[in-house]
Amino acid sequence: MHDRMIKQRSRNHGRLDPIWKLLLVLKAVSACTDILVTPGASTDSSAMIAYNADSPSLFGVVYHYPAVNQSNGKDNNNNNNNNNNNGNGPTKMRKIYDWDSGVYLGEIAEANQTYHVVGNTNEHGLVIGESTFGGIAYLQQTDGILDYGSLIYVTLQRSKTCREAIHVMNNLLDTYGYYSEGESFSLADYYTGEVWMMELVGRGMTYGKKGAVWVAQRIPDGMVAAHANQARIRTFNRNDPHNFLYAPDVVDVAIHYGLYPANADPLDFSFSDVYGPLDFLNARQGEARVWSIFSQIVDPAEQFQANYQLYALGENLTHRMPLYVRPYRKLSAMDVMNLMASHYEGTPLDSSVDVGAGLFASPYRPRPLVWEWNGTTYHNERSIATAKTGWSFVAQIRPWMPPPLSGLIWFACDDSSTAPRAPIYSASTRIAKPYAGQGTQDGVLAPLLQFDLTKAFWVQNMVSNFAYSRWKDVYPQVRHKIQTIQRRFESMVAATDQRALELYQSSGDEINGLNEAVECVTKFSVVASNQLHQQWLAFYGELFVQFRDMYTIVPKPEDPACGCEISEPGLSEETKRRIVTETGDHYKVLGSGDVQPDIVRGEMDFTTRQPTARAEPS
């Protein structure tokens, strides 16, 4: 298909026939979800970005890049594709590896100065997240050096604000080329308090220029936005740089490839409709997640859920949702964490209520998402919370703290509905061992085949996978435990903030005061992370003891045999109905059915028998 595509492209001078446009739209319906909360929409005036990094090949660790200054005290002004060659020797180069595949892509010039990065935040209170929308396949630049993952971490090391990050990303891609598919990025920063959504896609191989075309839109204060594997920015104002930024050739590239008519009005150009065409799967498995988020935060009187339900179901693709909404009440970090735990509960997309949910009403299904039966294509629902999450975070940029102390990430190493979140300050100079590690973008092989109980990723996966096996029994306990842990951490963070501020402000020397404050929040982050890891490992043991072998076992001190009470949860009435409907009399008990020893002594009698206690000999 690749060779044929090249021939077809050659005959049309870089343009493809309509059938190729249809066939070569990527179906990026299996990756990430982002929520963007502006300061005016949050309870404490924090800007927040929530991000689920959803991939079975991701190993959940917190990436850490210490600041480096190689410019002899000269500050890097971050025009940044700039290198570190100041006439003092050869330029230092940085190797780039594709975050998704680990493939080596090439080298870029390292910056003179890089900023301190923890996770997806940096020392200046900048945070970046993403989701892949894929878009038109032939717009990928296969000779590009920068992929979307590396782009995030290089940009965090070179930028202070959202606007600066957007320009840094553009300059880097124009210089080195863009290797990945279409991406949506989430950005928030401390200095401006702004929150932006940026969407970009490559210029392809025949346009004659490296890099990507893009559009970025500022989310108005007081609003909440979201994206989930579908391009969302449509038309944009060319004369409002306060709210919109864009590549000058964003329309020209589309015209070059025959994606937009040359005689059409450029002002009618819709980035999403041209570069990320919407179809059933992109709506049902991507936009439906945004619908889930907005439905929970918009005033119920506006009936958002009902108004856009057919759109989320993929049945009415013309009734597009807004890019952002105003929540009927302001959101806390805990609220955002709960939004990221959604499985469409209580909606028509709730998978826990049909036959695929199994004996324990699970919302999850074995992959792939799309499957066939008797020549017809079907799909599973794709909720925000998913078993394939490698790691996730909810990042807060807190305006009452000084810039280096403003960033706080609530980091989890697995499914965002079943994994607890460790509070980690972006100023941290050390990462706790259970959460420390490097990623494929650093040329490091993910240790997915090396089970290690000292790593949070494995312990959190143990709890999650145990919950998957008995969802209706285990999941409520997991959620309760998570809520209890997060509330406790919230109070501990408040106390740590206060102590760090005291250290920062009380010292007569600003540098010493900052260093003492940074050490304070680092120690807290490390201790909290280590404690959470041990607590979650112990919690796995508690769950295993309680729910092993299909029983439910709880403490009962007066029981002389085990100090416990053992019960059989049995089958739900709906499950019984389905079994009898499908199998008829296959399992019907004939005769009295009450003389089988395994039933009498092994399973049925221990919950009802009342043995007569005998006096022990003195």
Side-chain angles (χ1 to χ4, degrees), residues 392-413:
S392 70
F393 68 76
V394 174
Q396 292 179 273
I397 306 301
R398 292 96 49 78
W400 64 88
M401 300 293 286
L405 306 175
S406 64
L408 180 71
I409 56 172
W410 297 87
F411 191 87
C413 295

Side-chain angles (χ1 to χ4, degrees), residues 21 24 49 99 108 116 175 190 202 309 337 412 424-425 499 566 570 588 614:
K21 298 174 195 174
L24 296 177
I49 300 292
W99 189 38
I108 67 171
H116 184 86
T175 302
Y190 174 88
Q309 181 170 299
M337 295 177 203
I424 302 174
Y425 284 80
R499 177 58 180 156
I566 305 173
K588 184 177 180 180
R614 301 176 183 179

Side-chain angles (χ1 to χ4, degrees), residues 131-418:
S131 75
T132 302
F133 67 81
I136 309 299
Y138 54 81
L139 294 181
Q140 183 176 4
Q141 294 183 332
T142 55
D143 61 350
I145 293 179
L146 279 164
D147 67 289
Y148 75 95
S150 300
L151 183 64
I152 289 175
Y153 298 107
V154 171
T155 300
L156 284 168
Q157 291 176 283
R158 302 185 182 200
S159 310
K160 296 180 180 180
T161 68
C162 298
R163 292 175 186 268
E164 185 177 21
I166 290 167
H167 289 298
V168 166
M169 292 166 82
N170 177 62
N171 291 337
L172 284 167
L173 295 180
D174 280 355
T175 302
Y176 298 106
Y178 181 54
Y179 177 75
S180 299
E181 305 156 359
E183 284 290 325
S184 300
F185 294 95
S186 307
L187 305 96
D189 75 70
Y190 174 88
Y191 293 112
T192 70
E194 293 181 341
V195 176
W196 285 75
M197 185 185 300
M198 178 187 188
E199 297 188 323
L200 61 78
V201 68
R203 290 190 173 102
M205 299 298 292
T206 69
Y207 181 68
K209 184 179 180 180
K210 293 180 180 180
V213 288
W214 53 273
V215 61
Q217 183 168 348
R218 187 179 69 87
I219 308 304
D221 196 35
M223 300 295 180
V224 175
H227 54 87
N229 306 129
Q230 170 58 40
R232 306 210 67 237
I233 300 176
R234 303 184 76 191
T235 58
F236 49 98
N237 190 333
R238 310 299 202 279
N239 299 310
D240 183 8
H242 180 64
N243 294 302
F244 297 93
L245 299 170
Y246 59 93
D249 58 349
V250 64
V251 178
D252 295 339
V253 169
I255 292 173
H256 171 79
Y257 289 103
L259 298 171
Y260 194 70
N263 59 356
D265 187 346
L267 297 181
D268 293 333
F269 180 84
S270 166
F271 187 94
S272 170
D273 293 314
V274 172
Y275 289 125
L278 183 69
D279 63 11
F280 171 82
L281 283 177
N282 287 331
R284 184 67 169 260
Q285 298 193 339
E287 286 283 80
R289 283 175 269 159
V290 177
W291 169 78
S292 170
I293 294 163
F294 287 176
S295 295
Q296 296 179 67
I297 64 175
V298 172
D299 189 337
E302 296 183 25
Q303 298 185 327
F304 186 96
Q305 183 180 99
N307 288 339
Y308 291 98
Q309 181 170 299
L310 291 180
Y311 175 69
L313 291 170
E315 296 175 10
N316 181 354
L317 301 182
T318 62
H319 188 45
R320 297 286 291 268
M321 290 186 297
L323 183 67
Y324 48 80
V325 297
R326 183 181 298 278
Y328 74 96
R329 61 176 180 83
K330 294 187 176 184
L331 304 179
S332 67
M334 184 79 80
D335 291 329
V336 177
M337 295 177 203
N338 290 336
L339 289 172
M340 297 299 279
S342 169
H343 306 97
Y344 298 124
E345 287 89 348
T347 77
L349 279 70
D350 187 346
S351 295
S352 68
V353 295
D354 63 43
V355 65
L359 297 178
F360 295 101
S362 170
Y364 293 144
R365 304 288 184 273
R367 287 185 174 248
L369 281 172
V370 178
W371 45 278
E372 291 188 1
W373 172 252
N374 281 346
T376 301
T377 302
Y378 299 88
H379 71 95
N380 300 327
E381 302 296 358
R382 182 9 177 135
S383 58
I384 295 170
T386 174
K388 70 177 291 187
T389 300
W391 49 262
S392 70
F393 68 76
V394 174
Q396 292 179 273
I397 306 301
R398 292 96 49 78
W400 64 88
M401 300 293 286
L405 306 175
S406 64
L408 180 71
I409 56 172
W410 297 87
F411 191 87
C413 295
D414 193 32
D415 184 332
S416 57
S417 69
T418 57

